[in-house]
Amino acid sequence: MSEKIDNAMELFKAHKYKEAIDAFSLVLENEPDNASVYNNMAVAYSCLADFEHAENYFVKALDLDPQLAQGYINLSDLYFKAGDIASAIGTLQKGSYELEDNLTIAHLLARVYIEDQRFEDAIVELERVLDGEPENYDAYYDLGHVYFELGDYEGAISNFETVTEYKEDSELLFYSLAQAYEANNEIDKAISNYLKSIAVNSKFVMPYKKVGILFMARGDYEDAIEYFEDYSAFDIPEEEKISVNKLIERIKAKA
C-alpha cells in the first residue's frame, strides 16, 4: 500500500492534482480510515480551488484523527484564505485544545488573532509559545507588533531588540524597530534603525522617506535632502514624486 501512497504523493508534487486525487482515492478503497490520506486529498482539492471538497476532506481527516496537527493547520488556512476568520480561529482553538503542547498551532492562532485585532488573546498565545520556545524570534517579532498596535512602544522595542540577537539581516525588522523608537520619541535610535534597514536592503523604499523626515525635523538638512532625493529616484507614484521634489526645493531654500 505504501507504493500507492508514494505514487499519489509523486503526482501531487508534480502538481498533477486531479491525478493525485484519483490515486489517493485508490488508497482509501483499502484504507478507508487513513486520516493522512484524507488530509492530502483535501490539500489537492485546495490547490484546485475546490473549497467545498477541500473543507469536507479536512473535516473527515480530523474526525478520524483529532490528533492530526496538520489537519487543523490546513483547514484553518483554507478558511483564512476564504476570509472566514471566525472559522479559522475556531479550527485552531480546537486544535490547540486537542494538542495543547503543539506550539505551531498556538503560534498560528496568535497570528490569526492579530489579523482579527484580538491583541490580548494574541499575547496569551505568543507568551505560551515563548514559554516553550524561548528562542523563537518569530514569536518575539509578532509580539513586538502586537505591543506596537496597543501603543506600548517600550514593549514593542524590547521584543524587536530581542529579535536582533538572532537576526541581523532583516530590513523589515529594523524598520519596525525604527518605527517603535520613533513612536516612543527616541529619534536618534529611530534614525539609526532606519539607516540599518537601508543598509540591509538599499532597494527597500519605505525607510528613505521616514529618515528624511526625521533628519529634516532635527535640522540636518543636507542629510534630509540626500534621503529625499534617493526616495524620489525610486519608482513611486508621480504625485508623490512631485510632492517630494517640492519639499526638497523648500529645504534647499531654507538651508
Side-chain angles (χ1 to χ4, degrees), residues 15 27 87 91 105 127 152 159 163 173 179 182 189 202 213 235 243 251:
H15 307 294
V27 176
S87 293
T91 299
I105 291 177
E127 289 182 343
D152 182 352
N159 281 281
V163 181
L173 169 59
Q179 285 186 303
E182 182 179 356
K189 290 182 178 179
S202 62
I213 290 170
D235 184 19
S243 176
I251 296 172

Side-chain angles (χ1 to χ4, degrees), residues 215-226 228-229 246-255:
F215 276 133
M216 181 178 67
R218 74 177 191 184
D220 293 340
Y221 298 125
E222 288 187 8
D223 288 329
I225 290 169
E226 176 186 348
F228 281 135
E229 287 179 338
K246 287 181 178 178
L247 178 58
I248 291 169
E249 292 305 314
R250 289 200 299 269
I251 296 172
K252 287 180 177 179
K254 183 182 296 187

Side-chain angles (χ1 to χ4, degrees), residues 63-105:
D63 285 343
L64 288 169
D65 183 6
Q67 300 291 303
L68 185 64
Q70 198 60 43
Y72 295 106
I73 293 168
N74 291 336
L75 181 56
S76 68
D77 185 60
L78 184 75
Y79 287 134
F80 185 84
K81 289 177 178 176
D84 188 351
I85 302 297
S87 293
I89 289 174
T91 299
L92 291 170
Q93 286 175 331
K94 183 178 180 183
S96 189
Y97 174 79
E98 294 286 350
L99 298 157
E100 59 182 357
D101 294 329
N102 190 302
L103 298 181
T104 298
I105 291 177

Side-chain angles (χ1 to χ4, degrees), residues 151-215:
D152 182 352
Y153 303 124
E154 290 187 359
I157 289 166
S158 175
N159 281 281
F160 289 141
E161 287 285 11
T162 298
V163 181
T164 65
E165 297 175 13
Y166 303 95
K167 194 174 181 67
E168 297 181 348
D169 60 350
S170 170
E171 65 272 23
L172 287 172
L173 169 59
F174 288 121
Y175 183 80
S176 298
L177 183 54
Q179 285 186 303
Y181 274 124
E182 182 179 356
N184 206 43
N185 202 31
E186 297 181 66
I187 302 306
D188 288 345
K189 290 182 178 179
I191 289 173
S192 174
N193 282 281
Y194 283 132
L195 294 177
K196 287 179 183 178
S197 178
I198 292 169
V200 171
N201 182 0
S202 62
K203 296 181 180 180
F204 183 42
V205 178
M206 293 187 292
Y208 286 91
K209 184 177 181 180
K210 285 278 193 176
V211 78
I213 290 170
L214 293 183
F215 276 133

Side-chain angles (χ1 to χ4, degrees), residues 7 111 126:
N7 177 57
R111 286 179 166 173
L126 289 169

